[in-house]
Amino acid sequence: AQRVTQPEKLLSVFKGAPVELKCNYSYSGSPELFWYVQYSRQRLQLLLRHISRESIKGFTADLNKGETSFHLKKPFAQEEDSAMYYCALSAQGYALNFGKGTSLLVTP
Amino acid sequence: DGGITQSPKYLFRKEGQNVTLSCEQNLNHDAMYWYRQDPGQGLRLIYYSQIVNDFQKGDIAEGYSVSREKKESFPLTVTSAQKNPTAFYLCASSIRDNYGYTFGSGTRLTVV
């Protein structure tokens, strides 16, 4: 069985502070992991995929197979980063399995 | 302008009635999905379809039904057997099953 855990429901940081949104997964195979973001009144959208190893809006995420984690990081948070963030796992031939999400609030 | 469209945006249903939520995409994506989003629960998979005329149950398929007669369309029917249908429903599509998803804007269903 596959599972995605986001331990924090809410994360509040000050503008300019580093931010780390935690994501842990359980899956016996080789996972593909994603981060999705939902800004207020907007559609859920893809932020980044681990396989592409890219940085989007200053966010990065590294897959750590030893710790089964895929934490999302940004060195300096901006107010516009305030949103709901979902970590998701794709198993071969199956649909994305989402975590319960973390609400990030960046305060000035 | 390519995209995925869900309609209606808001839907009210009386208990005991079936209701169908529409999802249409013009992205030429093969795969389509239905999720249910409840506060504190994240997104839970209802059904998904990787090709026309084929679909699979997700984690919470009971009380729901789907069809995939056309590549562009993947309607979801919430039947009277669904015990707690009031929720926000999201449709998505992707080129293939492990690629990034494009989401619709959602339908909020309320049972009255």
Side-chain angles (χ1 to χ4, degrees):
Chain A
Q2 47 181 301
R3 183 183 295 175
V4 178
T5 303
Q6 293 180 252
E8 302 137 330
K9 282 188 178 179
L10 174 65
L11 183 63
S12 182
V13 301
F14 288 109
K15 177 182 173 181
V19 61
E20 181 179 69
L21 296 161
K22 291 184 167 44
C23 173
N24 290 92
Y25 67 91
S26 62
Y27 178 54
S28 56
S30 184
E32 291 201 31
L33 286 145
F34 303 77
W35 277 99
Y36 282 79
V37 60
Q38 190 168 30
Y39 300 103
S40 179
R41 302 181 187 278
Q42 293 188 28
R43 300 183 184 203
L44 195 60
Q45 57 187 280
L46 177 65
L47 182 61
L48 55 81
R49 302 172 63 199
H50 95 270
I51 200 167
S52 60
R53 302 183 69 82
E54 57 193 342
S55 171
I56 305 292
K57 298 186 179 183
F59 285 98
T60 58
D62 290 317
L63 177 60
N64 185 325
K65 291 187 177 181
E67 295 183 357
T68 59
S69 68
F70 188 56
H71 303 329
L72 184 69
K73 299 177 184 180
K74 185 170 183 177
F76 306 104
Q78 303 299 314
E79 289 181 68
E80 55 265 30
D81 295 328
S82 295
M84 193 73 179
Y85 291 81
Y86 292 96
C87 182
L89 179 152
S90 173
Q92 188 70 23
Y94 200 71
L96 281 180
N97 188 355
F98 286 83
K100 293 187 178 182
T102 297
S103 179
L104 175 65
L105 178 63
V106 181
T107 54
Chain B
D1 194 21
I4 182 165
T5 302
Q6 289 186 243
S7 62
K9 195 170 182 178
Y10 299 95
L11 191 55
F12 295 88
R13 189 196 88 176
K14 291 184 179 179
E15 279 193 35
Q17 287 182 337
N18 293 352
V19 64
T20 298
L21 283 60
S22 171
C23 180
E24 304 274 337
Q25 54 98 1
N26 59 4
L27 300 166
N28 200 33
H29 285 173
D30 290 316
M32 296 187 74
Y33 314 84
W34 275 105
Y35 286 88
R36 171 177 169 146
Q37 189 177 30
D38 296 285
Q41 295 292 319
L43 279 73
R44 292 182 291 170
L45 181 67
I46 304 173
Y47 269 97
Y48 68 106
S49 168
Q50 293 171 314
I51 56 172
V52 175
N53 293 322
D54 188 42
F55 48 83
Q56 289 77 40
K57 291 183 179 180
D59 301 318
I60 55 166
E62 186 176 348
Y64 299 98
S65 66
V66 293
S67 62
R68 187 83 187 279
E69 298 176 1
K70 300 186 298 182
K71 188 175 186 178
E72 302 80 20
S73 179
F74 191 41
L76 173 74
T77 297
V78 184
T79 75
S80 56
Q82 168 50 230
K83 297 281 188 263
N84 186 21
T86 294
F88 189 61
Y89 292 87
L90 282 171
C91 180
S93 68
S94 68
I95 295 173
R96 52 183 181 273
D97 60 11
N98 60 351
Y99 206 74
Y101 290 8
T102 299
F103 279 88
S105 56
T107 293
R108 186 166 299 280
L109 172 65
T110 303
V111 174
V112 296

